Amino acid sequence: MKTHKTIAFIFALILLSGCVDRNEYAYKYESNPTFGWGYAEFFGKFYSRYDINKNVLSLSLFTDSLKVNDKGNLTGFGQYLFFEDIFLNEGDTILPDGVYNSSDNYHEFTFTPGSEYENDGLKYTIGAYMVFVEKDASKSKLQLIKEGSFTVNSIGSKQSINCTLILDNDSVIHGKFTAPLPYLDESANASLNVRKRKVNVQEFLK
C-alpha cells in the first residue's frame, strides 16, 4: 500500500512540474535601463558619395557601471546602446530636439535599424544595436534594434534622451539618459572614407 502511495505522489509531482511556467526560469535582461554617460560623433556628409546629402551622427550611451578600456573593449557590466547612423539636416551638427524614428530612407530625424552581414567568414553589424554585458559572461549578448524611436529634449547644459526600441528577439527596451552629451567632431575623416568605431563588439557576435 505504501508503494502505491509513493508512486501516486511521484506521479502528482510530474503533473505539477508540467504546469510550471518555464519563462520563470529564463534569464532576465534589464528592459528599463538608465544610461549614465555617453558621447556623440559627428561625421558630416559621410554618405555624400552615394548622393545622400544629410549630416550623419553616431550616438553611444552606457549604463554607469560599464566602461571602455584603452583597447576599445567594454569592461564591467551593464548595457551599451549604439546608433551608428542618425541623419540630420545639412545645417545641424548636434542632435536637435525632436523625435527620431527607425527607417531606411535616410531622411532627417531618422536612424538606421540594425542588421548583420558576413565578409570573409567574419560577422559585422551595422546600424543600431544593444549590447548586454552581464556578470556571467555566458549571458552577455548583442541584440540588433529592428525598429523604434527616441526623443531628444535639451535641458540647460544637458540633453534628455528617452527611447522605446524593439530588438530582433521582439523584446522591448525603454531607456533614458539625462546628462551633458559630449560631441566629437570626426567630419575631417568623412572625405577620407574613414570611420573607426571606438568600441569593439566582435566578441558579442555569435
Side-chain angles (χ1 to χ4, degrees):
M1 188 69 176
K2 179 181 285 188
T3 301
H4 289 163
K5 288 182 178 180
T6 301
I7 293 174
F9 178 70
I10 293 173
F11 184 67
L13 286 177
I14 293 172
L15 288 176
L16 285 172
S17 66
C19 298
V20 174
D21 183 1
R22 297 299 177 188
N23 290 328
E24 179 182 346
Y25 300 102
Y27 189 80
K28 303 294 184 184
Y29 293 92
E30 175 60 59
S31 60
N32 297 280
T34 297
F35 301 100
W37 67 284
Y39 57 86
E41 298 169 272
F42 176 70
F43 292 96
K45 296 179 182 178
F46 189 79
Y47 294 111
S48 60
R49 62 191 180 280
Y50 302 116
D51 294 325
I52 301 172
N53 293 309
K54 302 294 182 185
N55 281 338
V56 177
L57 185 146
S58 293
L59 176 65
S60 296
L61 299 177
F62 307 80
T63 54
D64 277 333
S65 55
L66 203 57
K67 306 299 178 188
V68 181
N69 64 21
D70 57 1
K71 295 181 179 179
N73 297 319
L74 293 166
T75 62
F77 61 92
Q79 283 160 276
Y80 166 45
L81 175 59
F82 181 64
F83 298 95
E84 183 170 30
D85 291 322
I86 302 173
F87 294 93
L88 312 176
N89 284 310
E90 294 182 50
D92 290 325
T93 58
I94 64 172
L95 288 171
D97 290 0
V99 179
Y100 296 74
N101 294 293
S102 58
S103 175
D104 289 315
N105 64 18
Y106 315 120
H107 291 172
E108 59 268 18
F109 288 93
T110 67
F111 65 89
T112 304
S115 60
E116 189 176 273
Y117 72 96
E118 192 168 325
N119 184 32
D120 293 332
L122 294 176
K123 287 183 178 180
Y124 298 92
T125 58
I126 57 176
Y129 55 78
M130 172 86 78
V131 178
F132 298 84
V133 185
E134 303 295 315
K135 292 181 179 180
D136 178 352
S138 68
K139 301 294 194 304
S140 296
K141 64 176 182 177
L142 181 149
Q143 297 282 169
L144 301 174
I145 295 170
K146 67 178 186 178
E147 61 181 293
S149 65
F150 64 86
T151 302
V152 176
N153 287 297
S154 298
I155 307 172
S157 62
K158 299 179 180 180
Q159 283 194 288
S160 171
I161 300 173
N162 290 277
C163 57
T164 298
L165 306 167
I166 301 175
L167 306 184
D168 56 357
N169 63 356
D170 292 326
S171 59
V172 180
I173 297 294
H174 300 282
K176 59 183 179 180
F177 166 87
T178 303
L181 184 68
Y183 284 83
L184 311 176
D185 187 358
E186 303 286 351
S187 57
N189 293 324
S191 61
L192 303 175
N193 194 22
V194 175
R195 192 173 179 185
K196 181 176 175 58
R197 293 182 182 176
K198 291 181 169 53
V199 181
N200 175 31
V201 297
Q202 285 296 118
E203 65 179 297
F204 301 103
L205 300 180
K206 306 300 182 184

